[in-house]
Amino acid sequence: MGVIKGEFEVTIRKNEVVPPAMPMQEYRLPQSNLDLLLPPVNPSSIFFYKKPLDEKFTFDCMVGILKTALAQTLVHYYPLAGEMVQNEAGEPEVLCNNRGVDFIEAFADVQLKDLNFHNPDESIGGKLVPAWTRGMMAVQVTGLKCGGLVVAYTVDHRLTDAYSSQMLVLSWIEHAQAKPLSRIPSFQRSLLLPRHPGHYDSSIEKVYLPISKLQLEANYHDDQGDISRVYYVEAKQISELQSLANNPKNTGIGGKRTKLESFSAYLWKILASSVDKSHEKICRIGIIVDGRSRLANGDETKAELMEAYYGNVLSIPFGEKKIEELKKKPLSWIADEVHDFINGATNKEHFLGVIDWVEAHRPEPALARMYATRVTEEGPAVVISSGLRFPVTEMDFAWGVPAILSYYFPWGAQAGYVVPMPSPIGNGDWIVYIHMLKDQLHFIESEAPHIFKPLTSTYLNLM
């Protein structure tokens, strides 16, 4: 038993390992070429529940449901019960050894309505998310003074992307509700094999780089602190940004810009404005693209296989422009630039090219340029990962839907990281998690308080 102190105390009541309900034969799962592009980082998803209306759902009851369902889920998601090791070439791979998942039971001396949802560094980090030690996944379930519950799980990104994480938790919930699984996960790495002979467009070299080149380019470091904050953005503000991004007088490319493209363009522009003396500095923005539907490319059989595929199927295309240009140009022009660089990655050939590029450089590790962009370029940068399709209303283990879903990912890169998610209010608003350098985030707050509003218990109807 341990106590974590701060604005409120968290008491660790129990720390155990939940193994699969049915042990599997030990073997090693190789990383796909797309997995190999991910550094060892650990994103966390957090679900906050009000006190259940049904009194039978005590803390012990809910913990029991979660543990039993997790053990059943791990039978299908057996690599999550393993741990990352190295093969003979020094590359990471998953040792599927039935080790299990670290499962922490805790109690926080605070009510749900009193949590600081705006500042997860204070209320979530080191308190409500599991401390990462080993394995591919960790879970922490924390009871609150008001009878509410916090369910948080952390995964190893080298195995689990956002799509896979969503598939995992939905299966966990289906087991908790004693329902048949709607989708059986596939770990069939042969779906992402390189071509022979391999080939790729030179544009791939812009998006990724070998670690050796990164070390040669590491000539810039920033000693500013980075922080995480959570905001809500009203639906009317999102629509207004989209309207500005679609201004026909300024756009040179036909077609309506999406809400995500419009929001990304605005963030790109305001981030560039945070730099006083720009000179020849540039500002970069990257947007994570899922490749499952792109690799299927209309093939229904391949689409079904890719929909069930568990692992990383991501690319991070980005745009870079001089800061003065971003400051002067209208939002519609910037939105066209966002649309253009995303469009270059939303096709089958791009992802096949990335797979072949990695194969050509193995076993040397490689990395997305956006992950290290502030190391190699003196200028602000941010990566946006859309969580807008996350089914918040389906996150019901048995005692109701969460009052709020949040995210915590201080990912270790010097570029910022932004995740927009649907608001649990269900009115079209967004919840936006931002991890960024402190000065940049303070500038955004001061310049756009009408758009980025601190997430509070009052907004979430918890008071």
Side-chain angles (χ1 to χ4, degrees), residues 6-61:
E7 292 294 318
F8 57 90
E9 289 190 356
V10 177
T11 303
I12 305 300
R13 292 184 168 181
K14 196 173 184 180
N15 193 336
E16 61 183 315
V17 176
V18 176
M22 182 186 301
M24 307 292 288
Q25 183 176 355
E26 182 174 310
Y27 82 103
R28 292 184 175 228
L29 176 71
Q31 297 287 81
S32 76
N33 282 7
L34 296 181
D35 289 325
L36 291 172
L37 290 169
L38 273 293
V41 292
N42 310 115
S44 298
S45 298
I46 309 101
F47 308 114
F48 298 86
Y49 295 91
K50 296 179 181 179
K51 180 181 179 179
L53 296 176
D54 191 334
E55 293 185 359
K56 75 176 183 181
F57 289 115
T58 62
F59 176 75
D60 288 339
C61 174

Side-chain angles (χ1 to χ4, degrees), residues 241 244 260-272 285 331 334-335 338 444 447-452:
L241 291 178
L244 292 171
L260 181 64
E261 288 172 337
S262 306
F263 173 80
S264 302
Y266 179 77
L267 193 59
W268 197 4
K269 185 177 181 68
I270 198 171
L271 190 60
I285 186 169
L331 191 65
I334 301 173
V338 171
I444 290 173
E447 289 296 307
H450 60 297
I451 293 180
F452 296 96

Side-chain angles (χ1 to χ4, degrees), residues 209-219 221 364-365 372 375-376:
L209 78 166
I211 290 294
S212 60
K213 190 172 182 181
L214 167 67
Q215 292 169 344
L216 291 173
E217 291 181 356
N219 55 12
H221 297 275
E364 181 180 2
V375 176
T376 58

Side-chain angles (χ1 to χ4, degrees), residues 272-459:
S273 301
S274 70
V275 180
D276 290 331
K277 298 177 181 179
S278 56
H279 301 295
E280 295 300 312
K281 290 181 183 178
I282 63 170
C283 183
R284 284 178 172 172
I285 186 169
I287 297 180
I288 295 178
V289 175
D290 185 281
R292 286 170 174 81
S293 63
R294 280 81 190 191
L295 286 166
N297 196 31
D299 184 326
E300 292 185 7
T301 301
K302 184 69 177 287
E304 289 182 9
L305 292 170
M306 292 309 302
E307 284 174 2
Y309 181 84
Y310 195 103
N312 289 284
V313 193
L314 304 174
S315 186
I316 314 180
F318 64 90
E320 57 182 7
K321 294 292 177 184
K322 290 183 178 180
I323 284 175
E324 284 304 308
E325 189 173 29
L326 291 169
K327 287 180 178 180
K328 294 176 182 178
K329 292 289 187 179
L331 191 65
S332 56
W333 182 90
I334 301 173
D336 288 344
E337 294 296 316
V338 171
H339 176 82
D340 196 35
F341 77 71
I342 294 176
N343 198 45
T346 52
N347 59 80
K348 180 178 182 179
E349 182 55 39
H350 172 81
F351 282 90
L352 292 177
V354 174
I355 293 170
D356 288 348
W357 181 88
V358 174
E359 187 68 15
H361 291 81
R362 290 178 67 178
E364 181 180 2
L367 198 63
R369 284 184 181 268
M370 280 303 297
Y371 185 78
T373 188
R374 283 191 60 82
V375 176
T376 58
E377 298 289 344
E378 189 174 359
V382 67
V383 171
I384 298 176
S385 177
S386 174
L388 294 172
R389 295 184 179 181
F390 198 94
V392 179
T393 56
E394 296 179 30
M395 299 297 105
D396 179 4
F397 285 95
W399 46 84
V401 298
I404 176 67
L405 158 68
S406 194
Y407 200 69
Y408 193 63
F409 191 22
W411 69 330
Q414 293 185 19
Y417 194 83
V418 176
V419 183
M421 299 165 280
S423 168
I425 303 299
N427 59 354
D429 292 356
W430 289 1
I431 303 298
V432 181
Y433 169 84
I434 301 182
H435 180 77
M436 195 175 285
L437 294 178
K438 186 185 302 183
D439 289 350
Q440 293 171 355
L441 201 47
H442 287 169
F443 179 86
I444 290 173
E445 288 180 342
S446 64
E447 289 296 307
H450 60 297
I451 293 180
F452 296 96
K453 299 183 177 182
L455 184 63
T456 64
S457 294
T458 301
Y459 170 79

